Amino acid sequence: MNMPLKIAFVGNSSLTMFNFRASMLSDMKKKGYDVVVLVVIDSDIKYYNDLGVRLIPINIDRRGTNPVRDIRFIKQLKSIYAQEKFDFIFHYTIKPVIYGSMAAMFVGIPYVSVITGLGYTFIHKGFLRKTTIALYSFALRQAREVWFLNNDDKDVFLHEKIVSADKTFVLPGEGVDTMIFRPMPKRKDFFSFIFIGRVLWDKGVAEFVEAARLLKSKHPEIRFQILGSLAAENPAAVKPEEMQLWVNQGIVDYLGETRKVTSYIANCDCLVLPSYREGLSRVLLEAAAMERPIIASDITGCKEIVVDGVNGYLCNPRDVAGLAQCMEKMYNCSVEERMRMGIEGRKKIMQIFDDRIIIDLYHSKLSQFFGDQNNER
């Protein structure tokens, strides 16, 4: 009797894995794959149960650099991989990519590792960066392929000789469900800019707040909102007391955090992301899919989505004055001009970043790896 291919998806967050890949997991189940997800359980898992996807909890010291804990993590994955006998594994985010790849290599299971962004260790140079490069180089040497979300990240890996060019593949993002993220009417009667994401200095939160401070002095009617986790465990996290100070000064409204962002995007006039570096910004994709104009830094992971003057504006990173000028320019646009930008943004998403395109690429790659065994063997 033929058995379906058993495919594992390994990441560091049940919430993130579901938010980014629910459509793919569902589609793979329908196509006949035996789908298993290995993640840290950090949210309600009933959504996975609804998909019929089996979940295996794993333990990761997500932010720490304790080598003993990391070795335990490798052993944990190695044991699970050997017991489950997966046919193929996809790894996401830094620790699952590095240590999951090592475990798969030791057990002899083929794998693809997806570099979703370079993150803190590559932005801030030093010993940690050198160590991370060495770990990547070892872990990825037997990968079937290494996937990136943009060409710049791929070029960094090639420059550092982490991976050979023939193993690289650039995926046009992680996909956005354009049926969920669709145009919706705005129900708030005030003009607002919103920042959505983890509240990190590296995301350009300080620039957003200072640009808001400049604009507030000229246009006190504009609202500036921040939605997202304060992520205290991250070394680049904004402290709660800092956020409270901005709120007390009347510069921004802090909206907390949520798993469902559609209503917040729908009720803004423009989404702003002055980040220093991204893999490929998901929130920009979501806002564009909902026909909202966007303002972002002219950096890797944002410039692939924003076409300056077409669906939004690009500004230099770490440039408060430049960001404020872009935001004021957006505020001074007519409603019709902002609507035109929104329409152009969704058009781009539908053509390049729709999750159906990404799902089809995954199926195509699995067919390439397994030939006619794609759905059964």
Side-chain angles (χ1 to χ4, degrees), residues 3-14 17-18 21-22 24-30 32-41 48-49 51-58 76-77 79-92 96 109-110 112 362 366 377:
M3 297 292 290
L5 289 174
K6 193 173 188 180
I7 310 295
F9 293 81
V10 186
N12 69 358
S13 163
S14 58
M17 182 69 79
F18 182 84
R21 300 177 185 92
M24 181 183 305
L25 299 175
S26 176
D27 190 83
M28 287 202 162
K29 284 288 293 182
K30 291 175 184 175
Y33 293 100
D34 182 1
V35 179
V36 183
V37 172
L38 283 71
V39 285
V40 175
I41 305 299
Y48 286 96
N49 295 333
L51 291 178
V53 170
R54 186 157 64 95
L55 217 59
I56 298 178
I58 56 176
Q76 176 191 178
L77 290 182
S79 175
I80 295 170
Y81 291 0
Q83 181 178 344
E84 291 287 336
K85 296 180 171 60
F86 298 119
D87 293 298
F88 203 85
I89 303 173
F90 290 97
H91 297 111
Y92 306 88
I109 298 174
V112 158
Y362 269 76
L366 285 170
R377 52 182 177 163

Side-chain angles (χ1 to χ4, degrees), residues 13-20 40 42-43 47-48 258-259:
S13 163
S14 58
L15 178 61
T16 302
M17 182 69 79
F18 182 84
N19 284 348
F20 283 16
V40 175
D42 57 1
S43 68
Y47 308 104
Y48 286 96
T258 181
R259 191 176 66 84

Side-chain angles (χ1 to χ4, degrees), residues 250-267:
I251 303 168
V252 300
D253 301 318
Y254 178 55
L255 306 177
E257 58 181 300
T258 181
R259 191 176 66 84
K260 298 179 179 179
V261 301
T262 50
S263 62
Y264 293 93
I265 295 173
N267 284 316

